[in-house]
Amino acid sequence: MENDDGVSLESGERSPLLDKSQSSRHFEDNDSEEIDQRSEPQSVTSISKAPPIILAFSFLEGIAFNGIGINLVLYLGSVLHWPISSSAANVSFWGGTTYFTPLLGGLLADTYLGNYRTIVISIILYLLGLVIVTLSATIPSLTPPSCDGNSCQPATAFQTFVFFSGLYVIAFGTGGTRAALLPFGADQFNEEKPIEMRKKVSFFSYFYVCSMLGVLFSGTFIVWIQQNVSWAIGFGISTFCMVIASGGFLLGTSTYKLTMPTGSPLKSLLQVLQVIVATVRKMHVVNSLMCS
């Protein structure tokens, strides 16, 4: 059998032309694989330095918050001389506030400010509250005198106001960081690159590990400092950790990927509620006109 060029082909032999075309396709496939292999390391090195900064912030913020909150009932009873029942009730109410404020922080971040601005504003509130709490435990005029035998003078209204004003400023500060920090960290990864997607999954795990390590550190070391050395030093360590976390976060601003707010489901829910309220009012007006 002969091909068009007059070259005889026996059974099992391939045309030189076919071999040439197939080899060219083979070289193209090899080239594309080499390009993929060359581009893969580049995608690894192009990942931002932002995730480690955010993880460190999560760890230090966990120390700061829990260094204030874990031992709070004991502080109110032993330093401000409150009854245990009142101390536990007020701490529970404050703790509930810290779980409510992230709803407000998430609404602001998703609808108006974006994650980065929400975190920055929350950091300012956070630091202000920590400074107030630390000063209230440091300045003698902001704490009642020590117990004289069985006689304990409770904190004055002004002393109580100063301390709890710091606590609730912290509550609003932590609302913004808790709502926006984790989504902000997720924004730093490019979902179009498989390697970064895998690192994004790992980031979520590391984030919660860092948070729990902060709780562990504050629940052991800072609590020991507060009960055996000084409450002011214990609160001061929490404040110092938040200062370091805030400074590192702000210094890393140039490495962040910033995204615009896209809107929050809570805003849509509020709009639906407004429509329902307006409809009920109109029905009431129509019924009034019909009755008249």
Side-chain angles (χ1 to χ4, degrees), residues 3-291:
N3 61 3
D4 295 337
D5 297 331
V7 180
S8 62
L9 297 175
E10 297 181 359
S11 59
E13 290 187 351
R14 295 181 179 176
S15 170
L17 270 179
L18 268 176
D19 292 340
K20 184 177 181 181
S21 62
Q22 288 182 354
S23 61
S24 64
R25 285 197 301 270
H26 177 71
F27 289 139
E28 290 176 358
D29 293 340
N30 288 341
D31 290 342
S32 62
E33 290 178 1
E34 291 177 0
I35 292 174
D36 292 339
Q37 292 174 355
R38 288 196 301 268
S39 62
E40 189 168 340
Q42 290 177 0
S43 64
V44 175
T45 57
S46 64
I47 293 178
S48 171
K49 297 178 180 178
I53 297 175
I54 296 171
L55 292 176
F57 184 94
S58 175
F59 170 68
L60 293 172
E61 188 272 336
I63 295 175
F65 178 80
N66 292 284
I68 298 295
I70 284 182
N71 223 13
L72 195 54
V73 173
L74 184 60
Y75 179 81
L76 294 178
S78 61
V79 178
L80 298 187
H81 305 153
W82 280 29
I84 296 298
S85 58
S86 299
S87 301
N90 280 274
V91 171
S92 297
F93 188 81
W94 176 77
T97 304
T98 63
Y99 284 102
F100 172 75
T101 51
L103 295 176
L104 301 178
L107 180 64
L108 290 174
D110 293 340
T111 308
Y112 302 106
L113 300 177
N115 290 323
Y116 176 77
R117 291 180 180 178
T118 302
I119 294 172
V120 171
I121 294 173
S122 299
I123 283 174
I124 297 173
L125 294 175
Y126 216 140
L127 289 174
L128 177 62
L130 287 169
V131 169
I132 293 174
V133 169
T134 303
L135 290 177
S136 70
T138 304
I139 300 175
S141 61
L142 295 179
T143 56
S146 301
C147 295
D148 184 11
N150 294 327
S151 176
C152 296
Q153 179 182 342
T156 64
F158 178 72
Q159 292 169 344
T160 302
F161 171 77
V162 171
F163 182 74
F164 273 90
S165 64
L167 285 183
Y168 280 94
V169 172
I170 291 173
F172 281 93
T174 191
T177 55
R178 286 183 175 180
L181 188 63
L182 184 58
F184 183 70
D187 291 340
Q188 307 309 307
F189 297 90
N190 187 350
E191 296 184 355
E192 297 179 356
K193 296 181 178 180
I195 292 179
E196 292 200 20
M197 281 298 298
R198 291 194 295 270
K199 289 186 175 292
K200 182 178 179 180
V201 174
S202 300
F203 169 80
F204 290 128
S205 300
Y206 290 138
F207 184 89
Y208 287 107
V209 168
C210 291
S211 298
M212 292 301 103
L213 287 177
V215 175
L216 179 63
F217 182 85
S218 59
T220 53
F221 178 71
I222 293 183
V223 165
W224 186 88
I225 292 292
Q226 291 169 346
Q227 295 182 211
N228 296 279
V229 181
S230 168
W231 286 95
I233 294 176
F235 291 156
I237 294 174
S238 296
T239 304
F240 179 74
C241 288
M242 194 60 196
V243 169
I244 297 299
S246 304
F249 182 84
L250 295 175
L251 288 175
T253 298
S254 60
T255 67
Y256 300 146
K257 298 177 183 177
L258 305 181
T259 57
M260 298 297 294
T262 57
S264 172
L266 290 177
K267 185 177 181 180
S268 301
L269 179 60
L270 292 175
Q271 292 175 346
V272 171
L273 293 176
Q274 290 175 353
V275 172
I276 294 174
V277 171
T279 303
V280 171
R281 287 180 178 176
K282 288 183 180 180
M283 290 176 62
H284 180 70
V285 172
V286 170
N287 291 333
S288 301
L289 292 176
M290 291 179 63
C291 293

